[in-house]
Each structure stands twice: as structure tokens, then as C-alpha cells.
Amino acid sequence: MKSTPAKAIAKPAEKVNVSAEVERMASLGAPVHMIADALGISEKSVHRKFDRVLRKARALRRVRLLGLQWASAEKGNPALLIWLGKNELAQRCQRRCEHVVNQPV
């Protein structure tokens, strides 16, 4: 008698929390087309079903980045101190241009 080969038992598909995946990818800065491709859904579906999740994740990402910038500025990073001064305090560089009249350039 021939023995029949044992059938492979497939693992049950993992349940993926799509909303959490969208939030995770958006918080990393992934554009919508990448999120859609990774999840196998259309960009339109991502926008339609997860607009609030996208906005929240992107806002939290910006807040985290700002926190890192503040921490670096507090340690004395001159570039960040200048950037924060310009953006938070509306400080501007004052350049003085001296024009000499009747002189060849």
C-alpha cells in the first residue's frame, strides 16, 4: 500500500491591527503610497479609513523631533540655538550693507 504524504498544516494567518500598523509606519515618516503598498490596500483607502491616525502619528513624530532638538539646544548646540531663536523667537540675522557711491564695483 502506498502511504499518502502528510499534508502540511498551514499556520493560521496572523491578525494584524491595521490601524496600529498605519500609525507605526506614519510615525516613522512613511508616505501614504508606502503604507498602502505594505498593507496591500489602495492609497485612497489609507486616506479614507485612517486619516485621523495619519495626522496623529505625524503630529506626534514632529513633537518627538522638537523635543530632541530642544534637548540638543540645551546642551549648547549652536546651530540648533540659532534655528530655535529664528523659529521660536522670530530672531533674524542683521546684515549691514555699506554702499559706496561713485566707486567702481
Side-chain angles (χ1 to χ4, degrees), residues 61-72 83-84 88:
R61 180 175 184 246
R62 287 189 297 271
V63 168
R64 281 194 309 272
L65 178 58
L66 185 58
L68 292 171
Q69 286 177 316
W70 275 108
S72 184
W83 184 87
L84 287 168
E88 294 292 319

Side-chain angles (χ1 to χ4, degrees), residues 20 26 36 44 52 64 66 68 81 84 86 93 97:
K44 187 176 179 179
R52 295 179 96 182
R64 281 194 309 272
L66 185 58
L68 292 171
L81 288 168
L84 287 168
K86 288 179 178 181
C93 293
C97 295

Side-chain angles (χ1 to χ4, degrees), residues 8-26:
I9 300 173
K11 286 184 179 180
E14 281 187 43
K15 300 246 180 188
V16 176
N17 182 339
V18 178
S19 182
E21 278 299 296
V22 169
E23 184 173 357
R24 183 185 69 79
M25 288 186 265

Side-chain angles (χ1 to χ4, degrees), residues 18 22 32-33 35-47 49-50:
V18 178
V22 169
V32 172
H33 71 86
I35 295 171
D37 289 345
L39 297 173
I41 58 179
S42 71
E43 290 180 43
K44 187 176 179 179
S45 291
V46 173
H47 283 293
K49 295 179 181 176
F50 303 105

Side-chain angles (χ1 to χ4, degrees), residues 78-98:
L80 279 173
L81 288 168
I82 292 167
W83 184 87
L84 287 168
K86 288 179 178 181
N87 289 280
E88 294 292 319
L89 303 173
Q91 295 172 342
R92 298 286 173 244
C93 293
Q94 298 288 327
R95 291 190 182 177
R96 292 191 176 143
C97 295
E98 305 267 337

